[in-house]
Amino acid sequence: MSEDANVAMPAMTEAVKDPLVIRHLEYLGPMATRDGWRPEPTYPEIAFVGRSNVGKSSLLNRLMRRKAFARVSNTPGRTREIHFFDVNRQFVLADLPGYGYARISKSRKAEWRPLIEGYLSGSPQLHAVVQLLDARHEPTDDDFTMLDFLADLGVPTIVVATKIDKLRKSEITSSIAALAARVGVDAEQVLPFSAETGVGRDDLAAALMDVLSQPSWKTAQ
Ligand code: GTP
Ligand code: MG
């Protein structure tokens, strides 16, 4: 073991390159209805979707290296709007309301779907969607509805498995493989993530930088 430690020492003195250094972070505002206000689509956009309580706000805080940039709540289903953030005057993050919260009224659910689907299908600068799934659970019917919608749209989709710190180390590989099989992608295409420990943060940042460096799939069509 001490040999390994010696081998690792020289590498630790080199600065590890952060794929996404946050130099500027600015809240732009909320989009509340399908035809409501949204920021001018000047910059490329990346949207984050997932069911309520999947760990979306926690992931965004970790990604942005901020403690309380997106609000982490114990009250699922509170966020009803799409929140936009300018990152480095380079791209815009769209934080979509969590879906699938059972105790939300039918009328509120009826408002969400057109908002979410309208934004995703009507945003000319959308470069990718990050779909969050809980690493510990089977995807829900709502998750599959969202994944099918994204597949029909044809938008590049990055699948992230959240809360992997809640799995035993020995379970991680098999859980990710099972999740990937359920949603029909290769296991390498599912990014393990923990907002608690920071595992996966740089991999996700690198994946975002990669999609941002390519033209939007809309212009490529
Ligand atoms: P809504 O905004 O209500 O839809 O939820 P959300 O998807 O934004 O989830 P949020 O980040 O608010 O996290 C929900 C709960 O899960 C909180 O209690 C978090 O502390 C917890 N949580 C989020 N990410 C992780 C993680 O990676 N590991 C662990 N152990 N807990 C997490
Ligand atoms: Mg949230």
Side-chain angles (χ1 to χ4, degrees):
M1 281 299 125
S2 61
E3 273 172 33
D4 285 347
N6 286 336
V7 171
M9 280 306 279
M12 285 171 67
T13 59
E14 287 172 27
V16 179
K17 202 168 177 298
D18 183 344
L20 173 58
V21 178
I22 309 300
R23 295 180 306 273
H24 174 85
L25 186 61
E26 181 186 350
Y27 179 56
L28 297 173
M31 177 180 186
T33 60
R34 188 185 175 124
D35 302 312
W37 177 90
R38 56 149 294 148
E40 283 300 317
T42 317
Y43 295 118
E45 292 173 20
I46 294 180
F48 290 76
V49 301
R51 70 171 174 273
S52 194
N53 209 42
V54 71
K56 206 151 50 67
S57 301
S58 306
L59 172 140
L60 288 171
N61 286 336
R62 186 53 96 155
L63 182 64
M64 294 296 125
R65 302 195 191 283
R66 296 287 194 281
K67 282 224 159 62
F69 143 70
R71 187 175 303 171
V72 176
S73 74
N74 292 317
T75 331
R78 259 221 322 230
T79 315
R80 278 167 294 168
E81 299 91 12
I82 300 175
H83 293 286
F84 296 93
F85 300 88
D86 176 316
V87 184
N88 293 344
R89 299 190 176 91
Q90 182 190 3
F91 66 96
V92 165
L93 290 186
D95 180 10
L96 273 67
Y99 52 76
Y101 180 54
R103 278 197 274 160
I104 288 299
S105 69
K106 276 222 171 83
S107 65
R108 211 195 245 184
K109 271 188 197 161
E111 289 166 19
W112 281 5
R113 201 161 166 155
L115 172 65
I116 292 176
E117 295 186 354
Y119 166 75
L120 291 172
S121 52
S123 295
Q125 278 275 44
L126 186 65
H127 275 236
V129 175
V130 180
Q131 167 78 60
L132 278 67
L133 298 171
D134 193 318
R136 301 165 301 166
H137 303 303
E138 274 276 297
T140 62
D141 288 349
D142 289 317
D143 288 328
F144 284 116
T145 303
M146 179 56 86
L147 285 161
D148 287 346
F149 180 78
L150 297 174
D152 285 348
L153 205 58
V155 60
T157 302
I158 297 166
V159 178
V160 172
T162 64
K163 307 191 186 183
I164 56 150
D165 58 282
K166 292 204 176 184
L167 294 172
R168 281 194 293 272
K169 279 226 165 64
S170 58
E171 292 173 332
I172 293 176
T173 310
S174 58
S175 297
I176 298 291
L179 195 60
R182 275 307 267 126
V183 302
V185 298
D186 292 338
E188 306 83 70
Q189 287 177 269
V190 176
L191 250 160
F193 193 94
S194 167
E196 200 73 21
T197 66
V199 163
R201 187 271 171 192
D202 285 353
D203 289 338
L204 175 58
L208 300 187
M209 291 303 106
D210 189 45
V211 287
L212 287 167
S213 70
Q214 294 162 26
S216 159
W217 98 104
K218 289 212 170 190
T219 44
Q221 265 173 358

